[in-house]
Every structure is written in structure tokens, then in C-alpha cells.
């Protein structure tokens, strides 16, 4: 089975800190995605990547950046964390560009910015 | 922006009853998927239905897709307390967009 691992389950950071959320998948998937999940808003797409060094903005990229230096790793970076970035962050990967297969999600990182 | 919208937002039923959740979306899609999320965890893929399919089954799950109405439904038959979770539809074009989900509670 494909496994998507998010490095931290819970994270508490201070306002203004630079925060790195790491995601690693072990099945050579081309596509990787970062979502945030907030009550009543569902999952919103932050960034996604179809290949190494490639990245595309999703619906809410402001305040975030990403890095994909290796195929298996997709990092989400909060350049200067703010309290409105307190959320559950979910990483996902999939095999084909058009996602004709289901996405595999990590367990999530619950980030609190204080 | 969200593509799919689930209805109802919350559903409470007794064990053994059927649960039906609906999803409406706005633009043409390649496929539509349903996911389940247990409290505070990641999402688990349940079933995928392609735009040229009208109905699909997987165990106790039945999904329909009506592309003319831009809507889908997920039916869980003979529900169990362990089915308690949030259920999300996700529409796929060149990426995947999720709705806000339906919170299903199955009472024993």
C-alpha cells in the first residue's frame, strides 16, 4: 500500500516563525498536494506539484510556498506564520495527472500558531 | 474555490438504516470521488466514478452520478456505528476539489 507520511502530528509555533511541514510518499507518485482543512470550509487546495521542481498554486497560496526537490518529498513552508494559519494540514499524492486513481492522504498535521 | 457541495451537512441515523448523502458541483469533471474521514485523521478513498459512468458499487456503498444535473449521491446500506465519520465528495478536473463534507452519525 502507498504510504504518505507527514512528519508531525501536532505542531505549535509562534507568530512570525518560519514553519516547514514535510510530506513523504513511498510509491513513486508524480503528483503531490497540500490542503488545509477548517471547520465548515472543507479542504482547500494550497499548492500542488506534478513533478520534481514543478509547483502550481491552488486556491489559497497566499502566505505559503512549497518545495519539491525530490519526487518523494513535498514540503509546505509558512514564510511567517500567523494565527489565521492555525489549521489541519493534509498532504496527498496520486499516480496520474488526471487523478484517475484515488488520492492517498497522510494523517494530517494540526498546526497551532500562537 | 470549492467545487462540490454536500447535502446534508449532518445526518444522524440508527444502525441498520441506509444513509444517503448528495453532492452537487458546478463545472464539467473527469471523475468524482468519495472520501471518508474519521475524526481528526486523514482522508480515506472510498470510491471513484468516472464521468461516463452512471452507477458504481463497492460493498455496502453505492454511488450514482448524473452529469446532466451535475450531482452525485453516496448510499451506505445497512449502516453500522463504525460508519460514523465525515464523508466528502471530490471533483477532479486537472486537480481535485472537495466539498465541506457531510457529518454522519450512526447510533447503535
Amino acid at each position: 500500500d502507498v504510504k504518505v507520511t507527514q512528519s508531525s502530528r501536532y505542531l505549535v509555533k509562534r507568530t512570525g516563525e518560519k514553519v516547514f511541514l514535510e510530506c513523504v510518499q513511498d510509491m513513486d507518485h508524480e503528483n503531490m498536494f497540500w490542503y488545509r482543512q477548517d471547520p465548515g470550509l472543507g479542504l482547500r487546495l494550497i499548492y500542488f506539484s506534478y513533478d520534481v521542481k514543478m509547483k502550481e498554486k491552488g486556491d489559497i497560496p497566499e502566505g505559503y510556498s512549497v518545495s519539491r526537490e525530490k519526487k518523494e518529498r513535498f514540503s509546505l513552508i509558512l514564510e511567517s506564520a500567523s494565527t489565521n494559519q492555525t489549521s489541519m494540514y493534509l498532504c496527498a499524492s496520486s499516480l496520474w495527472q488526471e487523478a484517475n486513481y484515488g488520492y492517498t492522504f497522510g494523517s494530517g498535521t494540526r498546526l497551532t500558531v500562537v | 474555490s470549492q467545487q462540490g457541495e454536500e447535502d446534508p451537512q449532518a445526518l444522524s441515523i440508527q444502525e441498520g438504516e441506509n444513509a444517503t448523502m448528495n453532492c452537487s458541483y458546478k463545472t464539467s469533471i473527469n471523475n468524482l470521488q468519495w472520501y471518508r474521514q474519521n475524526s481528526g485523521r486523514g482522508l480515506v478513498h472510498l470510491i471513484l466514478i468516472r464521468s461516463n459512468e452512471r452507477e458504481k458499487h463497492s460493498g455496502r456503498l453505492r454511488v450514482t452520478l448524473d452529469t446532466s444535473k451535475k450531482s452525485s449521491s453516496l448510499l451506505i446500506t445497512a449502516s453500522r456505528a463504525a460508519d460514523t465519520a465525515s464523508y466528502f465528495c471530490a471533483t477532479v478536473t486537472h486537480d481535485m476539489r472537495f466539498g465541506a463534507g457531510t457529518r454522519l452519525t450512526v447510533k447503535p
Side-chain angles (χ1 to χ4, degrees):
Chain A
D1 280 350
V2 176
K3 193 170 181 181
V4 177
T5 303
Q6 294 184 233
S7 54
S8 303
R9 186 85 179 91
Y10 298 96
L11 211 52
V12 179
K13 295 293 181 180
R14 295 195 178 277
T15 300
E17 276 192 78
K18 190 169 187 176
V19 181
F20 293 85
L21 302 183
E22 305 288 347
C23 176
V24 178
Q25 49 93 4
D26 64 0
M27 279 296 288
D28 206 33
H29 281 182
E30 291 89 358
N31 310 321
M32 296 188 76
F33 307 82
W34 275 106
Y35 293 86
R36 66 175 280 178
Q37 184 178 22
D38 301 287
L41 297 177
L43 279 76
R44 293 180 289 169
L45 183 62
I46 305 171
Y47 267 98
F48 58 105
S49 169
Y50 289 143
D51 204 348
V52 176
K53 306 274 187 189
M54 286 184 60
K55 60 184 179 184
E56 290 196 40
K57 294 179 179 179
D59 293 325
I60 51 166
E62 297 78 19
Y64 303 94
S65 62
V66 290
S67 172
R68 191 151 181 216
E69 296 296 320
K70 294 183 178 181
K71 193 173 187 178
E72 67 270 17
R73 185 180 296 269
F74 193 36
S75 302
L76 180 69
I77 304 157
L78 285 66
E79 298 292 342
S80 177
S82 63
T83 55
N84 63 13
Q85 292 178 309
T86 291
S87 186
M88 169 72 99
Y89 289 87
L90 291 162
C91 175
S93 71
S94 73
L95 189 58
W96 297 110
Q97 183 163 350
E98 292 186 355
N100 283 316
Y101 300 84
Y103 284 24
T104 301
F105 279 84
S107 296
T109 295
R110 188 166 292 281
L111 173 67
T112 302
V113 182
V114 298
Chain B
S1 59
Q2 289 180 348
Q3 164 73 304
E5 292 186 11
E6 288 93 343
D7 170 60
Q9 291 185 343
L11 181 61
S12 182
I13 59 175
Q14 294 294 135
E15 215 167 23
E17 293 180 343
N18 294 342
T20 300
M21 290 160 269
N22 302 298
C23 172
S24 59
Y25 58 93
K26 296 171 185 163
T27 64
S28 296
I29 59 174
N30 294 330
N31 65 69
L32 185 145
Q33 303 181 25
W34 285 90
Y35 287 80
R36 166 197 169 117
Q37 184 182 36
N38 286 38
S39 181
R41 307 298 296 182
L43 277 72
V44 175
H45 179 253
L46 294 176
I47 195 166
L48 179 154
I49 186 164
R50 292 186 170 80
S51 59
N52 61 352
E53 296 175 314
R54 291 296 168 258
E55 188 171 312
K56 207 158 183 182
H57 297 254
S58 176
R60 294 185 295 114
L61 305 181
R62 173 178 167 251
V63 169
T64 62
L65 179 64
D66 186 336
T67 52
S68 67
K69 295 181 179 178
K70 291 187 170 57
S71 67
S72 175
S73 67
L74 171 68
L75 169 67
I76 304 175
T77 60
S79 64
R80 306 165 182 166
D83 293 329
T84 294
S86 292
Y87 292 83
F88 295 86
C89 72
T91 53
V92 178
T93 52
H94 67 286
D95 56 28
M96 182 180 288
R97 303 300 170 95
F98 289 81
T102 293
R103 175 69 191 167
L104 173 66
T105 302
V106 182
K107 300 175 185 176

